Every structure is written in structure tokens, then in C-alpha cells.
Amino acid sequence: MPELPEVETICQDLRKKIIGRRIIKLKILEPKLIKNPTAQVFIEEVTNRKFEEVRRRGKYLIFCLNSGKVLVIHLKLTGVLLYLLSSVPLTKQTRIIFKLDNDYSLRFLDRRKFGALYLVSSLAEIAAMANLGPEPLQKEFTFDSFYQRMKNKKRKIKSILLDQGFVAGLGNIYVNEVLYQTKVHPVRITTSIKKAEASRLYQGIRDTLRKAIAARGTSVNTYRNLSGERGKYGFALKVYGFEGKRCHKCGGKIERMDLEGRGTYFCPKCQKL
DNA sequence: AATCGTTCCTGATAGC
DNA sequence: TGCTATCAGGAACGAT
């Protein structure tokens, strides 16, 4: 599942490849993925426009076009963006193709069709984006506000870290890893979290995200970068997907529980309730 | 306010 | 072997 480090990796690669490029043809094989205007209007407004800027906000990719409109893509669970020579044969999971003015295409693949594309005049038109919390690697994400906002809620720590309105960009893999690293049980209630623990969480979030970006993301599943390569952070994972395996800190067994529909991995000895 | 269940979807896998 | 049921989960949504 692409989370902040994966989307950031794609974003960095996109900047190098598509800035200044014109979209000369757009093929939508799966119109359902276009959430904002109709697929027809989307095609009309994207075709012949140039990519001027690419940015990331949370898990959203933001493409500013030279028309002033903004294309937004969320990869959800299985979305993949590939920059390929247009002559490369299409694969089965290809859903949308942006043919560029240089023999290359930007292709959106999505095995499970959960992805979402929008074309808007302002990001505020996308409600979920308007409600996004701070960017964890930016200045706006301070320890004081992180701790205060946590204290103002009465929720499970794992739920709140996954909440995009609390902090933008974390997903299930990195939240499991951060909680394990910092020895905080996923079900701990935010009001009971001590300042020292919150501090470890805050640092852990930033540290983990930075390292994962440096490793170009995690490819547990379908994630691939723009060139179709896997991220290397999967080798650094310590709990996610390790049910029944030994905890490398205490030698105990990693357990898995269901928390609000998400696979939740933890070491019951290191992460006490 | 917080949580729960449901929906979207397909491929991998477990079980028979 | 080959079928079918189950599971994975980001985020929106409605209900409790």
C-alpha cells in the first residue's frame, strides 16, 4: 500500500520525468476511477495540457497543469504509476494512459480499482484533502501540537496515527513499525500516553518516514516506483507481517490482532498495555 | 465524539 | 486437479 514514503518517491521521480511535458492523448480504460468531472470532461480538460509542477500532500499526488487546473491522484491500495515508452505493451491492470509528447507514457495501473483521480480548480474541492492533518516531515508538525492534539482525544493510538486528519500520510505498515519501535501498544488510549512516550512516537514517525524515503519505500505488496522497481525498506521492517516470528528485541512472539479492520502486528512483551 | 459495519475490487491462497 | 470461500485494506459513509 503506498503510504507517504512511497508517494514521495513517485513524486520525486515524476518531477524528473514529466515536468514540461505535454499530454497529447489520454485513454481511460476504467472510467470509474475518475471521481471528479465526468471521464469525458476530464479527457477534454487534460488533453493538450502540460505538466507544470508535481507535489505531494499526504498520500495524494498533485499535478499542476498549465491550464491552471490541478490533477490529483490517490493510489489507494494497489495503484501504480509507471513511466514507460509508449511502445511497451499494455498489461492487464492498466486503467489510464497519459500519452506524452516524447514517446513515453504515464500509465496508471490498479489491480483492485480503488484508486481515485480528480481534476479540480482548487484542492479545497476535495473534502478529504481539505481535512488533512499536518505533513509529518514539515515544520508545521511540531511535538507540542502533536502531543496536545493527542491529549484532546480519547482514541486508540493506532487509530489516531492512521487518521489522515490527525497526521497526513501514515498508513498501516509504518504505524505498525513506529509503535513497535517505540514500544507503545497499538490499543493504548491517547489520554494515557505519557509525554516521554509521545516524544518517542513523534521522533519515531519522522525517523521512520525519512529512512523509508531514503530506501525508496516499501514493496510488501504491489508498490513499485515510476520505473517499476521495488522499494528497499521492506528489508527494514520489524513487525509488519511477522506474525508468529521472533521479536528481535526480546525473543518473544509477534502477534497479530484485528484493529478496526486493519492487520495489527505487535510484540506483547515489548508493547505493554 | 468515537466506533462499528459496509462498500469499493481482484488476486492470492487455504480448504475441501 | 479444480472449485469456492476468505482475506488483504485506504477511506468514505451511514448508523449506533
Side-chain angles (χ1 to χ4, degrees):
Chain A
M1 317 147 281
E3 306 180 25
L4 187 153
E6 291 74 35
V7 180
E8 178 62 26
T9 300
I10 295 169
C11 181
Q12 290 173 5
D13 290 353
L14 280 167
R15 284 198 195 107
K16 292 181 216 151
K17 308 277 190 189
I18 69 164
I19 300 279
R21 296 257 76 102
R22 188 179 295 279
I23 301 144
I24 59 171
K25 193 170 172 75
L26 183 58
K27 265 195 200 164
I28 299 180
L29 306 176
E30 195 60 56
K32 274 189 176 181
L33 301 186
I34 311 292
K35 307 296 176 185
N36 201 287
T38 61
Q40 190 52 48
V41 173
F42 189 91
I43 290 172
E44 284 164 15
E45 299 212 10
V46 170
T47 304
N48 284 323
R49 300 293 183 272
K50 275 188 189 177
F51 288 113
E52 277 190 342
E53 192 189 339
V54 186
R55 286 184 288 131
R56 178 192 61 72
R57 174 80 173 99
K59 303 176 196 170
Y60 292 85
L61 280 165
I62 300 164
F63 304 77
C64 301
L65 305 181
N66 65 339
S67 58
K69 294 265 180 156
V70 185
L71 166 68
V72 176
I73 300 183
H74 195 303
L75 303 170
K76 294 287 178 89
L77 299 180
T78 53
V80 172
L81 276 172
L82 294 176
Y83 178 80
L84 294 170
L85 276 168
S86 300
S87 56
V88 174
L90 293 190
T91 57
K92 194 176 142 196
Q93 298 171 357
T94 306
R95 310 297 182 200
I96 292 168
I97 306 158
F98 301 82
K99 193 174 187 318
L100 305 178
D101 58 356
N102 64 342
D103 297 333
Y104 281 80
S105 295
L106 185 63
R107 296 185 191 171
F108 182 75
L109 285 67
D110 193 359
R111 193 172 85 186
R112 284 157 74 180
K113 303 182 185 176
F114 284 173
L117 288 84
Y118 311 79
L119 186 70
V120 293
S121 302
S122 153
L123 296 179
E125 292 171 38
I126 302 171
M129 289 198 78
N131 294 328
L132 282 176
E135 280 294 322
L137 294 179
Q138 304 286 76
K139 269 193 188 151
E140 64 192 88
F141 184 62
T142 65
F143 172 69
D144 285 345
S145 84
F146 173 72
Y147 184 54
Q148 276 314 311
R149 294 192 308 129
M150 177 186 299
K151 285 296 198 185
N152 289 338
K153 305 276 183 186
K154 194 169 180 180
R155 294 178 61 186
K156 298 181 178 77
I157 185 66
K158 188 182 182 223
S159 309
I160 208 171
L161 294 179
L162 282 173
D163 186 336
Q164 301 301 297
F166 184 75
V167 52
L170 292 175
N172 202 33
I173 295 177
Y174 295 111
V175 168
N176 274 287
E177 292 299 317
V178 169
L179 289 171
Y180 171 73
Q181 230 181 78
T182 56
K183 301 192 174 188
V184 176
H185 192 289
V187 170
R188 284 280 301 285
I189 302 299
T190 47
T191 48
S192 82
I193 305 259
K194 304 278 174 254
K195 197 165 185 178
E197 292 175 311
S199 173
R200 293 207 305 272
L201 285 169
Y202 174 81
Q203 299 296 342
I205 288 166
R206 292 165 58 93
D207 184 57
T208 302
L209 292 176
R210 285 202 192 95
K211 286 178 176 155
I213 291 169
R216 316 209 83 232
T218 302
S219 293
V220 168
N221 246 319
T222 48
Y223 168 71
R224 296 294 183 276
N225 70 23
L226 246 206
S227 310
E229 300 152 345
R230 309 174 77 98
K232 296 185 288 291
Y233 196 76
F235 299 112
L237 297 182
K238 300 287 193 290
V239 268
Y240 182 82
F242 289 173
E243 182 183 14
K245 298 271 164 37
R246 288 222 178 291
C247 166
H248 79 116
K249 289 183 192 170
C250 75
K253 266 201 177 162
I254 303 295
E255 289 185 11
R256 180 190 191 278
M257 65 183 284
D258 185 288
L259 178 52
E260 294 165 8
R262 303 282 135 77
T264 302
Y265 301 87
F266 65 105
C267 170
K269 278 179 76 182
C270 295
Q271 296 162 273
K272 298 250 189 256
L273 250 188

